[in-house]
Amino acid sequence: MIRVTAVHPSSIAAEIGLQPGTELVAVDGRELEDFLDWEFLTAEERFSLLVRQPDGEEIEFDIERPFEEPLGVTLEPPRVRRCANRCDFCFVDGLPQGLREGLYIRDDDYRLSFRYGHFVTMTNLKQWDIDRIIEYRLSPLYLSVHATDPVLRRYVLRNPLAPDIVPLMRHFADNGIRFHTQVVMSPGVNDGKVLERTLADLYAFGDAVGGCSVVPVGLTEYSKHHLVREPTANECRDAITTIDARAAIAQQERGVNWAYGADELYNRAGIELPPESAYGAFDQIENGVGAVRYLQRQVREDAGALRGWEGRRIGIVTGTAMAPLMPMVSETLLRESGATFEVIAVENTLFGRSVTCAGLLPGAAIREALMGRNDLDLALIPGEALNDDGLFMDSMAYRTLADAVPVEVRPSKHFSDAMQEPVAA
Ligand code: SF4
């Protein structure tokens, strides 16, 4: 059963009398569990719909509508599937106390993997879920493999019940499901020979695995440092050597790199990022894989259209990881827009200095960095540091920040998205 939270005016749902609070019970006799059932089972032009109205009355409708005309209901958000693991490097364990409740949820939900590209471990699947993924063709899925060796994977996930991932992936692959995969690399645990084997095993899946990225473990001040540590520069360099070896084979055999290192891996290794062409379709951009090269490309493509910025002074707020790389991007902006740019590297005061990415910057640290900066005409802040409700990790609202500092602030993911309109003279 799924509850309706809103009915759109002039929609089919409004016409047949659905209301906020109506429960959608079954389509063509099949009970509805969540939004996936709703979307897939109502994809036909004709179907029967059993509902329970807020007063308890059950009604069955025969729905016939033009193909793809939406029914016009908003559904209550799904109850997120919780994670069954306890990884030593879990980001949730690295959170300080007192943040908003939603941040402490360990989700591991294949529905969100399909819809939003969240990585899942698939350690909480029941047979019903497996059948459903195949029936609805939920593909591609984003899978945290970490290690294909089943014993080691259970150790990394701290889950003795985690299923052997290779046969499970094989079952999915045989039924047309594809994956993008990642390894979160924990030094001394799943790097070295283990990483070589993991990449080889995943590569052997052929088309069913679109690629594998290797992301170094990232810890905050609050993480379980007695159990896990971040890799050294040498360990990151070794991992890049392993990735390169696999990428060379993949280039020769498949014409793509297939194995990728996260930007952070190169950053820590002190090695220059691979060229833009190495990242193919940028399938794992959200995972920090190729993010800098993608940004460079985006800026190159958009910057020519920027007008009205001549002589302006723009601050680019970013994390300490991205700051040294930012000139690679801002040079193009400078040339095309005529503005001058200053990179403002901000340390993470919420999670500690070791957390260097822009997306986790708290509003308070940005506010501190921009106080007194009335010499700037505009400050661009990392758009990925805000959630859909306009809140930073420390729950400061974007508007609160904007009202507190003496410079106009705009969230931005690739500069040109925030530079279409010049600031007022
Ligand atoms: S899979 Fe591991 S890292 Fe992800 S939420 Fe669960 S415990 Fe945390």
Side-chain angles (χ1 to χ4, degrees):
M1 178 277 292
I2 321 165
R3 192 166 284 109
V4 172
T5 55
V7 176
H8 307 178
S10 314
S11 64
I12 296 171
E15 255 173 54
I16 63 174
L18 303 193
Q19 316 157 37
T22 296
E23 293 170 0
L24 307 170
V25 179
V27 167
D28 289 334
R30 278 185 67 172
E31 280 187 27
L32 299 171
E33 173 89 6
D34 58 21
F35 69 93
L36 278 182
D37 287 333
W38 176 249
E39 287 173 18
F40 281 85
L41 298 176
T42 62
E44 303 298 327
E45 288 178 41
R46 288 193 65 170
F47 55 89
S48 74
L49 171 64
L50 178 65
V51 307
R52 191 177 301 117
Q53 295 290 34
D55 63 5
E57 185 189 7
E58 288 201 351
I59 312 173
E60 185 147 22
F61 298 100
D62 280 321
I63 307 279
E64 191 170 352
R65 47 101 193 250
F67 194 55
E68 286 191 345
E69 181 181 338
L71 266 287
V73 287
T74 303
L75 307 178
E76 67 184 349
R79 208 170 303 126
V80 171
R81 298 285 185 100
R82 302 299 170 110
C83 167
N85 315 309
R86 277 291 178 275
C87 310
D88 293 339
F89 51 75
C90 184
F91 182 71
V92 173
D93 291 328
L95 295 174
Q97 290 185 344
L99 301 181
R100 60 181 177 276
E101 216 173 294
L103 293 172
Y104 298 98
I105 295 174
R106 293 174 214 256
D107 68 282
D108 198 9
D109 195 325
Y110 63 89
R111 301 167 305 176
L112 306 183
S113 183
F114 171 66
R115 176 58 54 84
Y116 304 115
H118 292 188
F119 276 92
V120 290
T121 63
M122 302 210 304
T123 52
N124 57 359
L125 299 188
K126 299 193 169 59
Q127 188 59 44
W128 182 83
D129 300 307
I130 294 171
D131 295 343
R132 196 170 184 239
I133 288 169
I134 292 168
E135 183 191 352
Y136 290 164
R137 297 242 163 226
L138 304 185
S139 174
L141 293 174
Y142 290 75
L143 181 61
S144 288
V145 175
H146 303 327
T148 47
D149 178 314
V151 176
L152 207 72
R153 186 167 191 260
R154 283 176 201 129
Y155 175 80
V156 173
L157 297 170
R158 298 276 179 180
N159 181 355
L161 301 177
D164 189 347
I165 197 66
V166 171
L168 183 58
M169 288 178 71
R170 174 53 57 208
H171 177 62
F172 281 125
D174 289 346
N175 285 281
I177 305 300
R178 294 183 69 247
F179 297 97
H180 296 294
T181 61
Q182 75 159 347
V183 167
V184 174
M185 189 188 87
S186 185
V189 179
N190 61 346
D191 55 351
K193 291 282 172 212
V194 178
L195 181 60
E196 279 175 32
R197 174 181 161 183
T198 299
L199 293 179
D201 287 345
L202 294 176
Y203 185 74
F205 274 94
D207 287 346
V209 174
C212 183
S213 63
V214 178
V215 183
V217 154
L219 304 175
T220 78
E221 215 170 82
Y222 306 92
S223 298
K224 298 173 179 169
H225 291 272
H226 57 295
L227 295 174
V228 59
R229 65 174 175 84
E230 293 182 340
T232 62
N234 268 340
E235 287 164 339
C236 290
R237 280 194 278 275
D238 288 347
I240 290 169
T241 303
T242 303
I243 293 165
D244 286 348
R246 180 52 56 186
I249 295 170
Q251 262 300 341
Q252 201 171 24
E253 294 179 355
R254 299 183 190 169
V256 292
N257 270 27
W258 190 88
Y260 308 97
D263 293 3
E264 179 65 6
L265 191 70
Y266 290 89
N267 205 6
R268 289 188 191 197
I271 291 178
E272 197 184 337
L273 291 166
E276 188 183 309
S277 57
Y279 294 101
F282 288 95
D283 287 322
Q284 294 206 25
I285 182 95
E286 300 292 337
N287 205 18
V289 180
V292 174
R293 295 303 187 199
Y294 186 81
L295 186 60
Q296 278 183 302
R297 186 173 80 178
Q298 191 81 30
V299 166
R300 207 176 53 237
E301 286 173 359
D302 297 349
L306 303 178
R307 299 282 176 268
W309 291 95
E310 290 75 12
R312 299 296 192 165
R313 291 172 55 84
I314 300 175
I316 301 174
V317 174
T318 187
T320 49
M322 190 66 179
L325 304 172
M326 203 49 90
M328 289 163 58
V329 178
S330 60
E331 272 167 23
T332 311
L333 281 171
L334 169 66
R335 200 172 52 241
E336 299 291 341
S337 69
T340 54
F341 292 87
E342 177 190 342
V343 178
I344 302 172
V346 177
E347 279 189 3
N348 198 312
T349 49
L350 184 64
F351 299 122
R353 294 179 61 183
S354 65
V355 176
T356 56
C357 63
L360 295 176
L361 282 176
I366 298 176
R367 180 180 59 192
E368 197 60 31
L370 293 178
M371 277 301 182
R373 294 306 310 263
N374 39 14
D375 56 319
L376 297 172
D377 295 301
L378 175 67
L380 298 177
I381 62 168
E384 60 275 24
L386 291 165
N387 71 4
D388 291 344
D389 298 322
L391 298 176
F392 292 97
M393 287 299 283
D394 57 356
S395 292
M396 179 185 282
Y398 160 64
R399 283 288 1 138
T400 307
L401 169 72
D403 292 343
V405 297
V407 52
E408 181 173 340
V409 172
R410 294 183 186 173
S412 170
K413 288 194 174 164
H414 50 86
F415 304 110
S416 50
D417 56 348
M419 291 179 62
Q420 294 302 325
E421 293 294 322
V423 284

